[in-house]
Structures are given as structure tokens and as C-alpha cells.
Amino acid sequence: MSQMPRSTALSRCPSCEEPLESGDRYCGACGYDLSVVPAPPSDPPTLTMNGSVPRPPSGSSSVDWPAAPAAGGPQVPAPVHLPTDIPGTDSGGSELPADPAARGVRFDRPAESEDYPLAAPQPADPRTAVASTPPAGTKICVACRAGTVDSDGYCEHCGHAQPRERDHVEQELGAVAAVSDRGLRHHRNEDAFAVSATALPDGSPAVVAIVCDGVSSATRPDDASLAAARAANQALLDALPRGTHPQQAMHDAIVAASHAVNSLAAAPETAQEHAPHQNAPACTLVGAVVTASLLVVGWVGDSRAYWVPVDRAAPSARLTEDDSWAAQMVAAGLMSEAQAYADERAHAITGWLGADAYELDPHTASFKPDRPGVVVVCTDGLWNYAETAEEMAEVVPPDAGFRPLHAARVLVGHALDGGGHDNVTVAVVPFPAPPQGAGSA
């Protein structure tokens, strides 16, 4: 019995992988003829270790190089070729430069400058750039400080909407000052004021302060308040120097303001034939005229005037009565003041300036204070946070008679700190009126 070569001794069948025993000639599972298994190659596979190829074994056959042809006979040496004589290409397939010096790495390159070329200049940051002087009358954006503002109130550079001029307004004129602020809840300021000074026929001073509050439920309330304030102020400046009694002049000024507001209803923006669903512009008004010995107030609506003496030991007083539902209930004896102002209808006004108002009934009153003090003329955006005369006196600074603008700012700040639910406007007028040319300290 012949034996199989040792090289064919397998542990598993090449066909079915069944385990085999030494000396098996056929697979017991599939009958595969184990004698036909080819002998394993004598040359083991070449392994690569650490990325390097091992040298071929010494027994391997050498490369069969072709014999070099004779060049020039046995006595003539073969020509010598330099690497630069052989044409070639670079790694990208392009021909190598003909100049040998351009090939490879060079150490004789000319010295380069240590100055690096600068990048192209970038546009200046408008937030930090120094703006050039714009043409006279040009408005500059409050956000980027670079672009100009177009007629619609938007920046042509960054598109930011600009605040309205009436969002916060301050004015100081001698011994009278006023501040108006949009507040924290309204989208625009619908209040307006006017302050001025003139002289009576005898040369004594007269100071005027007018404060108006636009009715938000009406059309164009901001236009109504501005028109009323300007008309009333101008009427007083025309009447007082002619010798008209201040109380009569105040009455006539309210009538003039009413006409100014009524005329807005006929304007194209609010004309009923063009806008049938709009109502007439409307506002309230309160004003004060202070002379060397007399204090006159006039009002229509629920804007108020308060008297606050310099000596806080003396009583303060509210100088006006509201044209409102609550005031009517109290005047008729139907409710107490606490009950009336706790009702949701308390601030519904019963008198105002406007084409759809009831019969105009201007209220005026005159006083002769026996001591110095200040008159606080304000809208309900302030007195809602200091309703009684005593509460108002607590928030008026002690030096209000000498620093009326500071006092007006403090009062507006008090309303904003309290919530700023409405527009806030206040004028502070010291009494008695100082001589012409004397300003606040």
C-alpha cells in the first residue's frame, strides 16, 4: 500500500471541511479523493513588516537582464550619460524645465523681502468710523451713526427705523420747563406741550404752560394734541400783552385750541367722506398762566394742575376737576371718591376738544397764592402714579422752583418707574414768575 506524500497530509477535507485522520485517502463524509490534492508551493509567501519589503531569499533566481550591446569595439569605452541628459516629466506629467539649475531644490535663491504684502483695505466699521460732516439738515441714523435717514424715517445704510422726534421731548425756557415721554407701553407719544414767556402791558412777566393729551381711541390723536397746544399758546401770547385779563385770555385760548382740533376732521386724512370708519381727532387740554401775583388755570378733560408750595409744611392742592365719569359720580353724590375711581369707568372722559365733542365748556380758575411754590401741569400719565395733592408734593423735588427742568425730569422718571403705562407729559412753572431775563439757577 503506497503512502501519500507528507505534503498531502491534511487535517480537513478541502471539499467539505470534514476533519480527517492521518493516512486517510478519501474523505469519509463526501468521498473526496485526497490523493489529487496539489502539493503546497515550495516558495512561502512574502510578508511585509512595518511597511518594508524583505530582501528576496538567497536561493531565488536573479533578474535576467539583457546583454548590453558593444559600443565602438573592445577598445572604445561605453559612453557615459548624466542624469540631466535623460528627458523626463514631473509628477504631474509636465515636461521638466530644460535648465538643470531649475530642477530640484536650490539654495542660491535670491533673498526675499521680509515685508509681506497687505490685504486689500476693508470697508470701515460704521460703528467706529469717524463720520464726515453731513450736509446741513441731514439726519444721521441713531443706530449705525453712518447712514442718513430717508423721508420715511429709516436709515439708508442699515435700515434701522429711527425714533420719532416726539418720543422724548424736553424744553426749558427761563423759569418754566416741560418734559414729554412716550412711556413704556405705547408705540408713540400722543401728548404735546407748549411753554412760553411774555410781558403784560405794565412790563411784569407772564409765563405760559400748555399740556395736551391725545385721545387714543380717536383718529390722529398726536396731531390733535399738537395742534391744540400750539393754538392755545399762540392765543395767550397774542392776548396777554394787549392787556386781556389772564383768566379771559385762558378761556379764549381753549376756544382757539378747539377750533384747531376741529379743523383736523376736515383734512383729507380724516375726512368722513374718504374714511367713513374713522372718528374725529380729539384731545384734552390743561394750561396755566403765572404772573407776579396771579395764577390762572384752564382745562377741558382729565389733565390736571397741582399747586405745591416751597414750604412743604403748607398744604398742597389740586387746582382742576376732571371731566370724567368718576368726577360726575362724586359731584352728583352717587358715589364716594374711592368708589368712583375704583370703577372701571372712572377714566372715561366726558369733556374733550374735537369735532365730535359735546358742547364746549372751557373751565378756568384764578388763584392768588400767599407764598412761593410751583405749579405742576400734567397728563394722567403722571397723576395716575401720584393722584392726590399730597402724593404729588412728595415726588416734586424741594428745589423745583429753582430747577424746573430737573423737577420735570424727576416727575417723568417717577411715572416710568411706576410702570409707564401711558404717555407722560409734565410742565413745572415756579410762582411767582421771575422778572424778564431771569432764568433758573
Side-chain angles (χ1 to χ4, degrees), residues 2-26:
S2 62
Q3 295 184 349
M4 293 185 63
R6 298 290 301 175
S7 59
T8 59
L10 302 175
S11 61
R12 290 182 179 275
C13 173
S15 175
C16 65
E17 295 292 329
E18 181 71 15
L20 302 175
E21 295 182 1
S22 177
D24 287 345
R25 298 180 61 186
Y26 298 93

Side-chain angles (χ1 to χ4, degrees), residues 13 18 22 42 45 47 54 71 79 90 94 99 138 173 180 188 216 234 237 245 276 329 333 342 362 374 383 401 432:
C13 173
E18 181 71 15
S22 177
S42 60
L47 301 179
D90 59 16
S94 303
D99 183 7
T138 302
L173 183 64
S180 182
R188 64 179 176 184
S216 297
Q234 188 59 50
L237 291 180
H245 191 279
M329 294 298 103
V374 294
W383 65 254

Side-chain angles (χ1 to χ4, degrees), residues 282-300:
C283 70
T284 66
L285 181 148
V286 62
V289 175
V290 175
T291 69
S293 59
L294 188 66
L295 164 61
V296 174
V297 294
W299 73 96
V300 172

